[in-house]
Amino acid sequence: MSIQVNERTGVFSLTTAHTLYQMKADSSGVLLHLYYGQKTDEDMSYLVRTADRGFSGNPYEMRNERTYSLDQLPQEYSGSGVGDYRVSAVQVTGANGSRSVDLRFAGVRTEKGRKALPGMPFVRESDETETLIVTLQDKVIGLEAELRYHVFPSQDVIVRSVRLLNRSGQEMVIRKAASACLDFPFGEYDVLHFHGRHCMERIPERMPLPRGVVSFGSRRGMSSHHSNPFVILCERHATEKSGECYGAMMVYSGNHLEEMEVDQVGGVRLVSGIHPDGFAWTLAPGEAFETPEVILSFSAQGLNGLSRQYHDILRQQVIAARWRQPRPVLINSWEAAYFDFDAEKILNFARAAREMGMEMLVLDDGWFGKRDDDSSGLGDWVVNERKLGCSMRELSDRVHEMGMKFGLWFEPEMISEDSDLYRAHPDWALTDPDRKPVMSRNQMVLDMSREDVVDYIYKAMCAVLDEARIEYVKWDFNRSVANVYSHALPANRQGEVAHRFMLGTYRLLERLEARYPDLMIEGCSGGGGRFDAGMLFYCPQIWCSDDTDAVERLEIQRGTSYGYPVSAMGSHVSASPNHQTGRIVSLNTRGIVAQSGTFGIELNPEKLSETEKDSIREQVRAYHRYQELIADGTYYRLTELDENRDYVAWMITSRDGSEALVSLVMTHVRANSPFPYIRLQGLLPGETYQLEGTDRCFTGAALMHGGVAVDQAREDYEAVQLHFVSTRKKG
Ligand code: DGJ
């Protein structure tokens, strides 16, 4: 039993393999957070201490108890306007204009398993999942909050979300509805967040939490390149291998906010949810609002330990089970041809890719409507047969005849000003009345909050998907959202548009999934602008970045790995000099970096020499050999963040510890330099491992404690890959 409701003490305990989470309603009905961290067998309520702090007022019923203040009690879901001055979890305006919310305990129940979150991505139940539902109420305004906790014991994960229900007889407006609030009574924490920009996503930044509020988030209508919906709080001395770390990851792809506050006495509060800026959701009597989910996890095994828990929960319970199989190695036409192609060129790519051992051809942007550059055509999902020289059916058939699968690019949520769709339905774009829209990449954003728009795009996509033989869709999203105004909603509902937009996108994804269960969708947003657990629910892999430079990718993929598994990272070998940076990097290094992901190429085979083709053929062969290990294995970052600037190293160990793939890229060669010593992880100490391609053998203990000197890379950007296999496995 991972959930215990102790009738005697009133303590609710959530237990996972290594963690304990506890809460309890006090005598005033305030739901106190007692503890989250390493497992103990104790009632942790002794941790809650109070004192008369001054300027921290008391609820009326406790007016004679000056040590009792919401301003210092650790809480599960803080209200607002009633004496807790820290960042709040929920804000609501009632019919009389009052903004105060004061939630008190009203009931608790447990459920085996978990219910789906309708219309939104969620963490799928496992055999072990149990759910705790705590109901809080503010009887004055008639607001009910159902706090949900889904426990995933083996992965050391607790998933939280909230359902807000209007039990009053009048409308109320939700201004803020966080998915989770987590209070720590003490702790000196660093925060790690993942910032970035187009072509440089999820760059980790670590800093001590100062007094006051630190927040990260996105108001771009998408989870964004700029701030991933994932934060880590860790002990100041935590490293990749040791120290206590907490993670909070939203299962959501739209606007989000992560707030961390260190209060007057050093307590820490973390609040995570939909960004309240621009958000206002009207609830009629009897209506409910569901927040997205947040995945909480704790590890005492350092940052690597925490990452592994996120990798596991995403691979096992978020990404659909049917994608737990080798995914096709692909050639994508984008950097190979951009908009300049016809069917013959594409077929030549497919033929060459097939000869190099690849399994799928993906036709990127430019196959539809009027689309020879990015100035027109989005929304007109009609095959441009004149440009191709044949129908999509014929093209896809001919690709299949070569023994290859076929994939196609779409950007379903966008509309070009110069498109038949926009000419017919200008009101289908998100635009402010009487105001010229903000343009970005010459395009506007479709109003996905409208059912008729979702329906139209669904049918337009189905027409193409039904006509041709298509196994894969690349789902792109190439601008931030602005002019968040729906012409189908009244003035007082415009604060709902950004979230309704996401619900519309999820609905479209769900409808397509229901109709084409075998269709693999790769997420993309100008690279990795929507790399989040919400999209991973529908898309087993996401294009990591439009920056395909292998050296830049070291940072991008490393940063991504804090929260997300390599099996989700779209990564390809592209041209050298690289199209984004002009950097020249060897094919060997480009291959090794792309192999720590879904692997494919983004190259024009016509420009490759026979030697290069042979090398790529060898890379594809190696990837096929390691594919299961890479997709399913345990990932370790072997170099500390900012520890050294000379090389980056990482490894993947199979779950049974029988083999490991170690990769190292030299980023800065120095004269007379020390050897890069790498200590391996996750091996079996007593096992003997042979280094592939040599007759050298080592015990797991030697490799993990003594390590190996990886000194073969002697030039900037040169890479080394070492494969160790247990001699028992080799037989
Ligand atoms: C951005 C994507 O990230 C690229 O890979 C490519 O698909 C272009 N969009 C096409 O417009």
Side-chain angles (χ1 to χ4, degrees):
M1 285 277 285
S2 54
I3 299 183
Q4 276 190 318
V5 174
N6 188 319
E7 304 287 350
R8 190 177 55 78
T9 60
V11 173
F12 314 149
S13 302
L14 315 179
T15 315
T16 68
H18 305 98
T19 73
L20 172 69
Y21 188 116
Q22 272 186 350
M23 69 194 90
K24 166 189 185 159
D26 71 8
S27 57
S28 291
V30 173
L31 186 62
L32 300 179
H33 175 76
L34 304 181
Y35 178 72
Y36 185 30
Q38 290 233 44
K39 202 174 198 166
T40 77
D41 294 327
E42 300 276 315
D43 172 342
M44 304 299 280
S45 43
Y46 71 90
L47 286 174
V48 180
R49 303 286 305 274
T50 54
D52 180 359
R53 299 282 174 202
F55 290 86
S56 290
N58 322 108
Y60 191 78
E61 73 276 15
M62 301 296 271
R63 60 195 177 282
N64 297 323
E65 181 47 80
R66 290 173 58 158
T67 62
Y68 186 95
S69 173
L70 296 182
D71 203 23
Q72 50 175 319
L73 288 169
Q75 291 162 67
E76 280 300 314
Y77 202 65
S78 63
S80 47
V82 290
D84 181 348
Y85 297 94
R86 296 167 290 181
V87 287
S88 62
V90 59
Q91 291 172 16
V92 168
T93 312
N96 61 9
S98 159
R99 291 175 163 254
S100 296
V101 178
D102 191 359
L103 291 162
R104 301 296 170 106
F105 180 72
V108 63
R109 64 183 200 275
T110 58
E111 285 175 4
K112 180 88 195 92
R114 62 152 301 166
K115 295 198 177 66
L117 199 57
M120 266 193 287
F122 59 92
V123 182
R124 300 167 213 264
E125 72 177 5
S126 70
D127 295 345
E128 311 169 321
T129 312
E130 290 178 24
T131 298
L132 177 82
I133 300 172
V134 186
T135 306
L136 307 180
Q137 275 179 357
D138 181 332
K139 292 206 170 108
V140 174
I141 60 169
L143 177 70
E144 185 173 291
E146 252 188 26
L147 312 188
R148 299 200 194 105
Y149 303 80
H150 308 295
V151 185
F152 294 81
S154 301
Q155 294 99 343
D156 282 319
V157 155
I158 294 171
V159 175
R160 289 188 57 177
S161 68
V162 178
R163 179 170 187 264
L164 295 173
L165 175 66
N166 181 355
R167 284 206 179 275
S168 79
Q170 289 165 315
E171 276 190 353
M172 58 175 68
V173 180
I174 304 170
R175 311 243 162 223
K176 182 178 187 184
S179 303
C181 168
L182 191 58
D183 279 355
F184 303 84
F186 64 94
E188 298 268 301
Y189 293 113
D190 280 358
V191 60
L192 249 93
H193 72 117
F194 303 90
H195 67 95
R197 56 185 186 274
H198 178 227
C199 283
M200 189 44 79
E201 297 89 337
R202 291 170 298 287
I203 302 308
E205 183 178 44
R206 178 172 175 168
M207 64 181 103
L209 275 185
R211 292 288 164 141
V213 182
V214 172
S215 72
F216 309 106
S218 164
R219 300 179 194 84
R220 293 172 178 272
M222 56 197 288
S223 50
S224 85
H225 307 77
H226 308 77
S227 185
N228 196 260
F230 177 47
V231 288
I232 297 174
L233 295 186
C234 62
E235 288 182 307
R236 294 266 153 90
H237 62 264
T239 65
E240 289 289 0
K241 278 189 180 166
S242 67
E244 299 196 346
C245 308
Y246 296 85
M249 173 186 284
M250 286 199 70
V251 188
Y252 190 57
S253 319
N255 292 337
H256 60 92
L257 180 67
E258 293 75 37
E259 298 170 280
M260 272 93 10
E261 176 164 8
V262 180
D263 69 22
Q264 55 181 335
V265 288
V268 178
R269 172 169 288 175
L270 165 64
V271 173
S272 170
I274 290 180
H275 205 305
D277 274 16
F279 175 81
W281 192 281
T282 301
L283 275 190
E287 276 183 356
F289 178 82
E290 303 272 359
T291 72
E293 298 195 332
V294 165
I295 305 174
L296 299 179
S297 195
F298 167 84
S299 170
Q301 308 299 319
L303 295 161
N304 255 326
L306 188 74
S307 296
R308 290 197 294 274
Q309 288 166 199
Y310 277 99
H311 297 174
D312 283 348
I313 195 81
L314 293 174
R315 285 187 296 196
Q316 292 159 12
Q317 312 303 145
V318 175
I319 295 171
R322 65 183 180 284
W323 302 121
R324 254 177 254 151
Q325 52 163 303
R327 311 212 197 108
V329 174
L330 61 87
I331 177 168
N332 178 293
S333 68
W334 181 242
E335 286 195 23
Y338 295 103
F339 293 102
D340 179 20
F341 58 80
D342 59 14
E344 279 319 308
K345 193 175 203 172
I346 296 302
L347 288 166
N348 287 339
F349 289 177
R351 205 167 293 116
R354 182 70 208 147
E355 279 162 14
M356 289 184 274
M358 285 167 226
E359 291 136 338
M360 183 159 74
L361 174 288
V362 176
L363 177 53
D364 210 282
D365 198 351
W367 56 266
F368 52 90
K370 182 180 123 199
R371 185 81 173 166
D372 287 325
D373 53 35
D374 64 19
S375 67
S376 60
L378 294 173
D380 298 340
W381 301 111
V382 177
V383 180
N384 185 343
E385 295 189 358
R386 222 160 33 134
K387 173 170 177 174
L388 282 181
C390 67
S391 69
M392 197 59 88
R393 175 73 204 203
E394 190 181 335
L395 177 57
S396 62
D397 276 349
R398 290 181 64 192
V399 170
H400 280 98
E401 278 158 22
M402 295 175 195
M404 299 272 277
K405 294 181 170 166
F406 184 70
L408 204 56
W409 180 96
F410 284 91
E411 196 175 359
E413 300 138 280
M414 296 291 167
I415 182 166
S416 300
E417 190 174 25
D418 182 3
S419 67
D420 291 342
L421 188 65
Y422 185 69
R423 281 182 281 277
H425 298 283
D427 58 325
W428 281 13
L430 291 173
T431 51
D432 282 301
D434 309 321
R435 195 186 292 284
K436 293 280 181 220
V438 174
M439 300 300 288
S440 185
R441 210 194 189 207
N442 301 303
Q443 64 198 56
M444 288 179 276
V445 184
L446 272 174
D447 181 358
M448 299 295 287
S449 75
R450 293 176 67 139
E451 199 51 59
D452 50 358
V453 171
V454 172
D455 200 51
Y456 175 87
I457 296 296
Y458 170 73
K459 287 184 180 139
M461 290 179 77
C462 289
V464 181
L465 296 172
D466 287 345
E467 185 221 325
R469 288 170 64 194
I470 297 174
E471 282 94 359
Y472 160 110
V473 159
K474 179 173 173 189
W475 185 296
D476 212 339
F477 188 87
N478 280 306
R479 60 161 290 178
S480 302
V481 186
N483 307 108
V484 186
Y485 186 95
S486 170
H487 296 273
L489 283 172
N492 65 342
R493 308 295 293 244
Q494 295 299 327
E496 300 175 18
V497 176
H499 181 57
R500 286 190 185 278
F501 177 92
M502 275 325 311
L503 296 179
T505 295
Y506 291 146
R507 200 157 51 242
L508 179 57
L509 281 157
E510 264 169 29
R511 286 179 72 179
L512 289 167
E513 184 179 277
R515 184 171 171 130
Y516 308 102
D518 297 328
L519 178 73
M520 182 166 88
I521 302 182
E522 173 157 347
C524 176
S525 170
R530 234 173 19 184
F531 204 116
D532 56 66
M535 290 311 285
L536 285 176
F537 184 79
Y538 305 99
C539 313
Q541 56 193 56
I542 300 177
W543 183 227
C544 217
S545 179
D546 270 350
D547 187 344
T548 59
D549 176 341
V551 175
E552 300 264 276
R553 278 295 186 113
L554 290 175
E555 272 186 78
I556 296 167
Q557 293 178 196
R558 180 195 159 92
T560 305
S561 79
Y562 280 88
Y564 305 95
V566 285
S567 65
M569 294 184 207
S571 56
H572 299 163
V573 173
S574 65
S576 179
N578 177 266
H579 290 191
Q580 290 80 42
T581 61
R583 187 177 278 117
I584 294 173
V585 176
S586 74
L587 191 50
N588 178 50
T589 301
R590 284 178 277 153
I592 287 176
V593 174
Q595 280 179 353
S596 285
T598 59
F599 200 65
I601 68 166
E602 191 111 358
L603 287 163
N604 183 345
E606 289 159 7
K607 296 191 179 154
L608 293 174
S609 68
E610 286 310 313
T611 322
E612 287 173 318
K613 283 186 189 162
D614 285 346
S615 303
I616 293 175
R617 192 174 298 115
E618 190 39 52
Q619 287 177 1
V620 175
R621 210 176 287 140
Y623 187 73
H624 280 139
R625 212 165 347 123
Y626 303 141
Q627 197 163 12
E628 198 184 321
L629 166 65
I630 291 168
D632 190 47
T634 308
Y635 179 88
Y636 299 88
R637 291 176 294 274
L638 297 178
T639 35
E640 294 286 335
L641 192 61
D642 297 332
E643 178 190 64
N644 81 78
R645 304 232 169 249
D646 296 353
Y647 61 88
V648 179
W650 66 97
M651 73 179 286
I652 304 172
T653 310
S654 65
R655 282 183 182 268
D656 62 2
S658 65
E659 61 174 324
L661 191 64
V662 179
S663 305
L664 177 142
V665 179
M666 209 67 202
T667 45
H668 189 135
V669 167
R670 294 177 195 277
N672 194 20
S673 61
F675 298 119
Y677 273 99
I678 298 294
R679 289 204 267 186
L680 274 55
Q681 294 186 47
L683 301 178
L684 305 168
E687 198 88 355
T688 301
Y689 295 86
Q690 188 172 353
L691 175 59
E692 202 187 8
T694 74
D695 52 11
R696 284 161 65 196
C697 288
F698 313 81
T699 62
L703 291 171
M704 290 194 291
H705 304 308
V708 282
V710 186
D711 55 354
Q712 297 95 314
R714 300 213 173 85
E715 282 175 30
D716 276 353
Y717 315 139
E718 201 40 88
V720 178
Q721 196 175 57
L722 307 175
H723 184 216
F724 294 90
V725 189
S726 116
T727 47
R728 203 152 48 88
K729 182 169 180 169
K730 285 192 117 180

